[in-house]
Amino acid sequence: MIDAKLSGNDKLATRIYNEMVNAGISNEKMESQLGSKEKEKIKKDSVAMEAVEAYAKKDYDTYTQKLDELRKKYSQKNIESAIRSMYKAAYGEDDIETFDTISQEFWEKEEEVESSQFKTVIDAMMEAKLSGKLGEATKLYNYMVNNGLPNDKLDSAIDSREKELLKNDPLIKEGVEAFHEGDADRYVDIVEQLKNKNYYARNVTSAIESMHDKLYGEDDEDTFETITQDFWEEDEADEMVSYELLFNAFWNGSRGTYNEVWGLLNAAGKEDKSIRASMRNRCYDAYWKAEGEGNTEEMNKAAAEYQRNGGKLETLLKPPKE
């Protein structure tokens, strides 16, 4: 059956497939076997071996050329799986069953492209981006778009990969400390250092706030457009300060750093009335958290700042809804 499929004899492949389904072999097992057989053929294909060697040498132009050659014969999903398996071997790195017969169109249906099917290319693209080789990163991005991976899935994969890498950067822990203390100068400096490593600021701040939440228990249509090298530059001004940083400056820092962060929020376009409303909300939460812990000092601290930002005492004293 697999030989018939690969040789283009879809009619014969369909007949064999349906005979096997009618004999009691489920569609899932059939497709699993088809995938396994195709991967075996890919692993024996000299073009696949050349692709693995090119990837190991970081020769991504040759690598993508070899992928194009393989795609003329095999599915992208199985190519990616086989290449990763071959690379690992060389370089060290239950669904419900159905019994539906198929029509000849089964072999012609378009495969939904997922970012996991281009993991090796995404890894190469990220290495190029973080090394400052934006021309090479752009070429690899467009290669995936032109082979059916939508921009939104690819952009999401870039963000996920950056956040994963950032978790292991020691600067993130320093950023978390500065964020918790409301130390704006230190925090902004750390974000800038990580931006200089070619990470997006949005992913840096997200990684810092995510780790902060874990350490301190705080709770808080597809497109297919090619890109230019400018894609790697963030479009909007980076907002490296946040309302939470402001509250941390008040709660854990000093009045000086608190005023400094307030000024940075103003510079980022936040109006005083919005900043005051945010502080009232956070002070309200802090007040009732302290009340539950029986901490009078923190209750008084939260109440004073709540009222300083325009809040009414009677509103503060209304318990939060369950």
Side-chain angles (χ1 to χ4, degrees), residues 50-64:
E50 291 169 9
V52 170
E53 290 172 8
Y55 190 81
K57 294 174 183 175
K58 302 187 188 304
D59 180 358
Y60 300 128
D61 282 341
T62 300
Y63 177 65
T64 52

Side-chain angles (χ1 to χ4, degrees), residues 225-244:
E225 300 170 357
T226 58
I227 61 168
T228 64
Q229 191 163 314
D230 294 340
F231 170 84
W232 307 104
E233 302 294 330
E234 291 181 283
D235 292 333
E236 298 178 1
D238 304 326
E239 292 188 30
M240 293 183 286
V241 291
S242 63
Y243 291 135
E244 190 173 354

Side-chain angles (χ1 to χ4, degrees), residues 1-259:
M1 178 179 62
I2 191 69
D3 288 336
K5 175 184 178 294
L6 294 177
S7 65
N9 193 339
D10 291 350
K11 186 175 181 180
L12 177 58
T14 302
R15 182 168 62 79
I16 297 171
Y17 184 109
N18 288 337
E19 285 176 359
M20 296 175 81
V21 168
N22 291 329
I25 301 175
S26 70
N27 296 84
E28 286 71 22
K29 287 181 180 176
M30 286 291 299
E31 290 175 32
S32 175
Q33 289 175 18
L34 280 170
S36 297
K37 289 291 185 184
E38 188 169 76
K39 288 174 202 173
E40 287 176 17
K41 283 189 171 289
I42 294 169
K43 289 177 182 179
K44 294 175 183 176
D45 195 310
S46 61
V47 177
M49 296 174 188
E50 291 169 9
V52 170
E53 290 172 8
Y55 190 81
K57 294 174 183 175
K58 302 187 188 304
D59 180 358
Y60 300 128
D61 282 341
T62 300
Y63 177 65
T64 52
Q65 287 171 11
K66 297 302 176 184
L67 288 185
D68 286 340
E69 289 182 44
L70 291 168
R71 197 176 291 105
K72 293 175 183 176
K73 297 184 285 184
Y74 312 108
S75 73
Q76 174 64 36
K77 178 172 65 176
N78 291 330
I79 294 169
E80 172 71 20
S81 177
I83 292 288
R84 286 162 60 184
S85 175
M86 292 169 71
Y87 183 87
K88 186 174 181 180
Y91 298 97
E93 295 249 342
D94 293 317
D95 294 329
I96 297 173
E97 295 184 339
T98 60
F99 296 85
D100 299 325
T101 59
I102 62 168
S103 65
Q104 187 166 321
E105 286 72 29
F106 173 84
W107 308 104
E108 300 163 4
K109 66 182 179 182
E110 295 224 355
E111 178 180 27
E112 184 177 355
V113 181
E114 298 291 343
S115 58
S116 60
Q117 295 167 223
F118 286 94
K119 184 178 184 303
T120 53
V121 187
I122 289 170
D123 287 346
M125 178 185 65
M126 292 307 302
E127 183 174 338
K129 175 184 182 290
L130 297 177
S131 300
K133 300 175 182 176
L134 300 187
E136 192 167 289
T138 302
K139 187 185 296 183
L140 290 167
Y141 183 108
N142 289 339
Y143 173 83
M144 289 181 276
V145 168
N146 290 329
N147 280 289
L149 186 59
N151 294 81
D152 57 348
K153 290 183 180 179
L154 186 46
D155 297 348
S156 176
I158 292 171
D159 287 342
S160 296
R161 185 69 176 130
E162 282 202 358
K163 290 173 188 175
E164 183 183 336
L165 292 169
L166 281 163
K167 287 178 186 177
N168 298 317
D169 194 304
L171 279 173
I172 289 293
K173 291 183 179 177
E174 293 183 34
V176 169
E177 292 174 6
F179 185 77
H180 186 67
E181 294 165 5
D183 186 341
D185 287 341
R186 186 174 166 219
Y187 175 75
V188 170
D189 178 63
I190 289 167
V191 173
E192 287 291 347
Q193 288 184 59
L194 288 164
K195 280 180 61 185
N196 290 337
K197 292 185 177 184
N198 295 308
Y199 289 109
Y200 285 136
R202 64 175 181 267
N203 292 330
V204 173
T205 55
S206 175
I208 288 173
E209 292 182 23
S210 176
M211 186 176 288
H212 178 270
D213 289 349
K214 289 179 181 177
L215 291 176
Y216 295 98
E218 306 284 343
D219 291 321
D220 281 331
E221 180 182 75
D222 292 346
T223 61
F224 295 88
E225 300 170 357
T226 58
I227 61 168
T228 64
Q229 191 163 314
D230 294 340
F231 170 84
W232 307 104
E233 302 294 330
E234 291 181 283
D235 292 333
E236 298 178 1
D238 304 326
E239 292 188 30
M240 293 183 286
V241 291
S242 63
Y243 291 135
E244 190 173 354
L245 179 63
L246 177 69
F247 179 78
N248 289 343
F250 159 67
W251 200 252
N252 304 313
S254 67
R255 180 60 64 179
T257 55
Y258 178 55
N259 291 336

